[in-house]
Amino acid sequence: MTGFREECAVMGVWNHEEAARLAYLGLYAMQHRGQESAGIVSMRSGEHVLHKGLGLVGDVFKEPDLARLVGDAAIGHVRYSTTGQNLLANAQPLAANLLNGPVALAHNGNIVNTDGIRKRLQEKGAIFQGTTDTECLLHLISRTPTNEIVEALKMSLSEVVGAYSLVVMTHDRLVAIRDPNGFRPLVLGTKANEKGQTSYMVASETCAFDLIGAKYIREIEPGEIFWIDENGTHSEIFAKAPRLSRCVFEHVYFARPDSVVFGRSVYESRKQFGRWLSKENPTEADVVIPVPDSGVPSALGYSVESGIPFEFGIIRNHYVGRTFIQPAQSIRSFGVKIKLNPQSAVLAGKRVIVVDDSLVRGTTSQKIVRLIRQAGAKEVHMRIASPPTIGPCYYGVDTPQKSHLIAANQSLDEIRQFIEADSLSYLSLEGMFQALQSAPTQFCAACFDSKYPTPLENDSLAHAKVATP
Ligand code: AMP
């Protein structure tokens, strides 16, 4: 089975003296998209230098590593995978030497027909080092009958189905590609280099540009192959999909709220989700509180729409790392409180509306409802600023398998009972698209409607229902 549940960010820099350091900062800004590995490949005079490792960007790169990443072009990647495949071999960028020189590749998204491709390649003698779908792509590129990278990429991509926002670097160019459905974001920016020339930047999210002082120019379009070389920039639409399938979950949870994704402010989307949630489910209460940080913009929107005061009823400890040492059993019961602490000053005796961005397994909501009650709330009304999560994602967001998605298996009232809330309601699918001011045909919402916009050919995915485009 390929490592199909991956969350990632990609970054590319062209024509800047500090290319690797800009890539590093961009990855730093996009750390939320992947925390298990990080890597950068830089280029000087056609030669590639690679540094990658397991861990957070700040841990993987130390000053000597960045000093070694010389050159005026670079690509970078952060990755998170839940399939137990946390191997260094899977960390990206993937780098290889092909007939025509070095190629490095960073990929966000998941290709859904790699099982067959991998088998076919292995039958012909291909050797794989890791388990990612991206490695299949590298093999396809190396086997095309052309040395011209843009042609090779187009030929290779005609064989793959699924989600791919790609940044590719060779000895003489930087290429950015978005799949024809446009599942995952990819944006283009510019910045002046020290000689006053234009440097080009490509990133998964605009928050990377904000940090490095780059100007957001536009999205790489769905089905576009964009490249930069010594002759300047070039662009071609290499494929068209029957419909757009931009990931709605980027706006619900995944992207940073300060990013512009698919041409729209994520913060604004979340605030609008909160407003529509309130319109659809008017509820009497004394206070609206967010689950920090994911529910903050939606709770604000809910408060504005309903007129119910917004307060921070739960305070988050921002310094809880992954390496937290569990105390002995006798004092372990503080559980979620290490991260989230409810405030009696805000909650005691109150009818509380608590807003979160999504409810997946339900265990987080249950813990939060309990905390709020322990702090003295009279009533707890859980409001979810997205529809019930009923379908796993096969295109690059880590959602658990269907049997673990509570809304795929239980009724609204059963979920309410499980999370121990006085009431529970979700934003409707229609409300979500109203809030986005967009037609459903512009987005993939398979996690909420189980309509998968592409065939799912991998053995592990074949059971999922596929929507007719
Ligand atoms: P649970 O219902 O316990 O599975 O957790 C739901 C919470 O997890 C929500 O509050 C979200 O903020 C967060 N969440 C949703 N999707 C993801 C994801 N793909 N990766 C990590 N956290 C997520």
Side-chain angles (χ1 to χ4, degrees):
M1 189 176 75
T2 50
F4 64 84
R5 288 203 185 126
E6 287 180 37
E7 299 177 343
C8 306
V10 296
M11 179 82 204
V13 180
W14 183 262
N15 194 30
H16 198 286
E17 303 80 358
E18 303 266 22
R21 286 173 200 271
L22 291 176
Y24 165 80
L25 289 170
L27 295 179
Y28 212 99
M30 298 188 290
Q31 184 77 79
H32 61 289
R33 296 183 74 89
Q35 299 93 40
E36 282 187 5
S37 71
I40 294 176
V41 173
S42 71
M43 195 226 326
R44 183 161 74 178
S45 310
E47 304 265 318
H48 284 188
V49 186
L50 164 70
H51 180 78
K52 61 183 174 180
L54 299 177
L56 298 174
V57 177
D59 298 328
V60 169
F61 295 98
K62 300 295 177 208
E63 180 51 40
D65 308 315
L66 287 170
R68 221 167 44 81
L69 289 166
V70 290
D72 59 5
I75 67 169
H77 189 266
V78 290
R79 174 174 190 268
Y80 170 68
S81 159
T82 52
T83 47
Q85 309 280 10
N86 188 15
L87 308 169
L88 190 56
N90 285 342
Q92 295 190 30
L94 293 183
N97 280 310
L98 308 187
L99 209 51
N100 207 28
V103 172
L105 205 143
H107 172 204
N108 173 210
N110 281 117
I111 297 168
V112 294
N113 67 334
T114 39
D115 284 1
I117 296 174
R118 176 180 288 257
K119 191 157 173 271
R120 185 161 48 79
L121 289 166
Q122 282 171 328
E123 279 165 1
K124 288 188 188 152
I127 297 165
F128 284 83
Q129 297 197 352
T131 54
T132 66
D133 48 356
T134 317
E135 207 177 340
C136 282
L137 202 52
L138 201 51
H139 278 282
L140 288 177
I141 295 167
S142 87
R143 274 155 200 259
T144 52
T146 169
N147 287 333
E148 209 290 303
I149 189 68
V150 172
E151 282 313 306
L153 280 162
K154 286 196 284 187
M155 287 169 86
S156 308
L157 292 171
S158 68
E159 294 191 45
V160 310
V161 177
Y164 50 89
S165 281
L166 287 169
V167 181
V168 181
M169 189 169 67
T170 62
H171 66 286
D172 65 353
R173 66 187 65 177
L174 183 81
V175 189
I177 304 171
R178 202 157 152 223
D179 68 70
N181 289 83
F183 281 104
R184 309 254 71 92
L186 193 62
V187 286
L188 176 68
T190 58
K191 179 178 168 69
N193 69 13
E194 279 173 16
K195 294 180 213 129
Q197 300 162 334
T198 305
S199 312
Y200 290 90
M201 318 277 146
V202 184
S204 293
E205 288 189 34
T206 58
C207 64
F209 295 164
D210 296 339
L211 181 62
I212 61 180
K215 184 171 162 228
Y216 168 52
I217 301 296
R218 65 173 179 88
E219 286 187 86
I220 301 295
E221 296 296 330
E224 179 180 358
I225 182 161
F226 173 91
W227 70 100
I228 318 161
D229 57 22
E230 58 180 9
N231 300 317
T233 64
H234 316 262
S235 165
E236 240 178 68
I237 296 294
F238 68 94
K240 271 202 152 68
R243 53 165 281 189
L244 280 183
S245 313
R246 299 174 301 177
C247 169
V248 80
F249 205 67
E250 293 274 354
H251 277 273
V252 168
Y253 169 80
F254 197 34
R256 255 173 65 159
D258 49 341
S259 285
V260 174
V261 169
F262 311 137
R264 194 186 152 84
S265 151
V266 173
Y267 179 83
E268 189 52 31
S269 293
R270 291 185 189 161
K271 212 168 154 196
Q272 290 298 330
F273 292 154
R275 291 191 85 132
W276 280 87
L277 185 60
S278 167
K279 275 191 214 183
E280 288 181 342
N281 305 285
T283 306
E284 276 192 26
D286 304 309
V287 64
V288 176
I289 67 162
V291 175
D293 294 321
S294 53
V296 173
S298 298
L300 254 175
Y302 195 109
S303 166
V304 169
E305 184 64 34
S306 63
I308 302 169
F310 173 96
E311 299 282 359
F312 279 102
I314 303 171
I315 303 300
R316 177 170 166 190
N317 179 345
H318 286 269
Y319 304 98
V320 180
R322 296 189 144 214
T323 52
F324 175 66
I325 298 162
Q326 286 283 342
Q329 191 65 43
S330 56
I331 53 167
R332 224 179 246 182
S333 58
F334 57 69
V336 72
K337 272 197 192 166
I338 185 72
K339 193 166 168 193
L340 301 173
N341 193 25
Q343 294 205 72
S344 292
V346 170
L347 303 169
K350 302 275 175 57
R351 296 170 299 172
V352 177
I353 289 179
V354 52
V355 181
D356 204 357
D357 67 287
S358 59
L359 193 156
V360 182
R361 294 178 184 84
T363 44
T364 308
S365 298
Q366 184 192 62
K367 286 176 189 158
I368 283 163
V369 172
R370 283 182 186 166
L371 283 183
I372 296 168
R373 270 199 219 287
Q374 283 161 13
K378 201 161 72 181
E379 294 172 13
V380 186
H381 302 280
M382 178 60 80
R383 296 291 176 266
I384 304 295
S386 62
T389 306
I390 56 169
C393 179
Y394 302 118
Y395 304 112
V397 171
D398 164 38
T399 35
Q401 62 195 67
K402 198 161 186 161
S403 57
H404 293 135
L405 298 174
I406 192 167
N409 300 290
Q410 298 195 34
S411 69
L412 185 68
D413 198 53
E414 284 167 339
I415 304 170
R416 183 196 63 75
Q417 284 180 39
F418 176 77
I419 67 169
E420 301 171 10
D422 293 290
S423 76
L424 163 69
S425 54
Y426 291 87
L427 180 63
S428 70
L429 261 174
E430 301 71 39
M432 183 172 71
F433 288 114
Q434 294 270 16
L436 289 168
Q437 295 178 300
S438 177
T441 49
Q442 300 287 300
F443 283 93
C444 171
C447 50
F448 302 130
D449 63 12
S450 288
K451 291 181 183 159
Y452 294 93
T454 67
L456 300 169
E457 288 177 23
N458 284 353
D459 295 345
S460 45
L461 316 179
H463 59 278
K465 208 167 87 194
V466 175
T468 36

